[in-house]
Amino acid sequence: MTAIAFWLRRPFDRALPAARALVASPLALALAVALLLGLQLAIQGAVFSGFPRDEIESIFWGQGWALGYDIQQPPLHNWIAGLTTAGLGVTPLAFALIRMGTIALMLLFVWLGTRAAAGGDRVAAGLAVLGLLASVMFGLQIFLNLTHTLTLLCAVAFCFWTLTRVARPEAGLGAYLLVGLGLGLGALAKYSFALVALGLLIGALTHPILRRRLIDWRTLAALAVAGLIVTPHGLWLRGADHTVLAEMPELLHAAPLPPLQRAWDILRTGWIDPLAGVIVPLALLALCLPGFVKPGLPTSAGDPSRPWRRLLIVAVVTTLALVTLVTLAAGGNRLRDHYLMPAALLLPIWAALRATALRRGAPAEGRAAFGLCAAAALLAAGLALAMTVIRPLTCDRCLTDLPVDRWEQAVREAGFDGGTLVSGSLDNAAALFTRFPGSRLVWRAPGVPLRGDGASTQGEGCLIVLDPKRPEADRQSLEGWLAEHLEAPTPPAPPPLLQAEGRLRSVLGNRTETLYFVVYPQGIGQCR
């Protein structure tokens, strides 16, 4: 039995030094991350036939350049999408590159910031990156359906890194200007960045060096840079008929609830869920490193991360508290995970700094690294399996698996070769829109402005994609909407209701999805 146990443990014992070497080597870690991101890039860019929901909205808003688009979101992601699709076309590959590139930058800034906070310790930096990828929130959720939140997370990681540069003894004006750049880009990523920035500021005041450095004229230079970046969009907001504040009750699910139920919903979605999203790496580090969960650490002059760990905890608690207060003030009852992701992002960084500050030695750090590697690999494999095999078999809104080739063929046979596409939900229309370069996409949602005009499109046709759950009723409501919004005259006869059925992209299943549509091959009114 002893010999059997020895041979069973031998591969594991060899894996521990390799795992620690992985987190300690920037090149090896970068190659591992590139492999993971490359797998997702291949799936989302080459296997997907459609787009996740958030990216569908980016396709609509990105039909032209503007200082602002949707009142609920700042324009940074739309600008990035516009630049990318201008070179690569509106394709799943273009949006997959945006997603993977943003995640890669976020992980890079996490690595740089953690290394600086740990006094140059590459093991801490590697554990922080692996900790994020080993969590459900950052190893799974960010790959699924996020756009503006991804740019926000990248901006938060960038701001954390810039704070470490301001704390360096040789910090000059350039470090402060980088802080200003991060603040400006964060504000253009998502409006909730203001709460995260305030949380980081309050956390920075607990850091002895940063507290002194913030009371400096160069801080004004940082604020000036941030102001210059956000001013154009701020002017656009000033000219809008309302702001996101007016829509907050709906966004935060405001509804009368019993006080205890409301308090539980706020506690669960605003505090418990973010912690649960990153609990896997925290639990693994606690299991692998004795003393991880005990309060305090043996203090010594060789613990450079101590003030940074305090900063991170204060920033996390402050951000969660601020979001909770805003939710309560708006009458909200619950929050979605991505509202709290910026705070959750800081927890694996804190955990990595604490893990290396324990100084338990290479074997213990090897166990921790191996556990995180295993968890990250399992999540990556499960995600790949779910995206390629499981989701097409079980999805309700199968946006990434639509039979776009079959639909395009049917639409062209009906006489549409480009022009204007009109849709009430964008779900099916956005995927078709990408097959007709030079066309425009019109969203029949209340209060949504038209993008572009019929005179600038390539093609004369008008394609109207109908609600698949009620296609006939949707067709009957078209006449009044076309007359009001696209100056369309009353047609002599209602256009026929057409449909095209195709098989969903699936390895195992044989499910189908039907497109219901109406076509005016020569256009009608401004729908052309």
Side-chain angles (χ1 to χ4, degrees), residues 228-523:
L228 287 173
I229 292 173
V230 302
T231 293
H233 180 62
L235 294 175
W236 179 87
L237 281 175
R238 186 177 179 182
D241 57 359
H242 69 288
T243 67
V244 70
L245 297 176
E247 301 185 8
M248 284 183 62
E250 179 182 354
L251 293 173
L252 299 174
H253 308 279
L257 287 177
L260 286 179
Q261 182 179 346
R262 186 184 183 201
W264 166 245
D265 285 348
I266 291 289
L267 176 64
R268 175 178 58 84
T269 61
W271 294 77
I272 297 176
D273 286 354
L275 179 61
V278 294
I279 196 63
V280 171
L282 302 186
L284 285 173
L285 291 175
L287 289 172
C288 295
L289 298 168
F292 182 85
V293 297
K294 292 181 180 179
L297 283 174
T299 59
S300 69
D303 185 10
S305 71
R306 184 178 181 86
W308 292 104
R309 298 197 303 273
R310 182 171 57 244
L311 180 155
L312 291 168
I313 289 298
V314 171
V316 168
V317 173
T318 303
T319 301
L320 294 179
L322 289 172
V323 175
T324 300
L325 290 175
V326 170
T327 303
L328 291 172
N333 299 318
R334 67 180 179 87
L335 296 168
R336 287 179 286 181
D337 284 350
H338 63 265
Y339 293 166
L340 289 310
M341 275 185 163
L345 175 74
L346 303 178
L347 286 173
I349 300 175
W350 168 85
L353 292 174
R354 182 173 176 83
T356 51
L358 284 168
R359 303 188 184 283
R360 298 304 183 192
E365 291 174 352
R367 287 194 300 271
F370 179 80
L372 295 178
C373 286
L378 286 174
L379 280 176
L383 180 61
L385 180 65
M387 285 183 161
T388 55
V389 178
I390 298 174
R391 186 161 66 177
L393 299 175
T394 60
C395 56
D396 292 323
R397 295 171 70 188
C398 307
L399 301 180
T400 60
D401 313 303
L402 298 174
V404 186
D405 290 339
R406 171 69 187 99
W407 289 355
E408 179 190 0
Q409 177 187 2
V411 165
R412 290 188 183 276
E413 290 174 354
F416 182 81
D417 288 314
T420 296
L421 293 86
V422 179
S423 176
S425 70
L426 295 184
D427 283 3
N428 297 338
L432 269 176
F433 170 69
T434 64
R435 301 300 180 93
F436 297 93
S439 297
R440 69 163 172 164
L441 183 60
V442 174
W443 190 359
R444 290 173 58 197
V448 175
L450 300 180
R451 307 293 297 171
D453 60 79
S456 63
T457 61
Q458 295 180 16
E460 291 292 325
C462 175
L463 170 65
I464 302 169
V465 178
L466 302 173
D467 184 345
K469 296 181 179 179
R470 42 188 297 276
E472 182 57 38
D474 202 15
R475 183 175 74 100
Q476 296 296 331
S477 68
L478 278 178
E479 184 177 307
W481 188 91
L482 288 172
E484 179 182 356
H485 296 278
L486 294 175
E487 304 175 7
T490 302
L497 173 62
L498 305 175
Q499 64 184 69
E501 185 178 14
R503 180 176 175 272
L504 291 175
R505 175 199 63 82
S506 178
V507 176
L508 300 177
N510 198 31
R511 297 176 62 192
T512 61
E513 186 80 12
T514 301
L515 177 77
Y516 298 91
F517 62 99
V518 167
V519 170
Y520 293 93
Q522 303 305 317

Side-chain angles (χ1 to χ4, degrees), residues 182-216:
L183 293 175
L185 293 178
L188 291 179
K190 210 167 178 67
Y191 296 126
S192 59
F193 176 78
L195 302 179
V196 186
L198 185 54
L200 283 172
L201 172 62
I202 294 174
L205 294 177
T206 67
H207 192 294
I209 297 176
L210 286 178
R211 188 165 56 244
R212 294 194 302 270
R213 296 283 172 85
L214 290 175
I215 308 174
D216 189 296

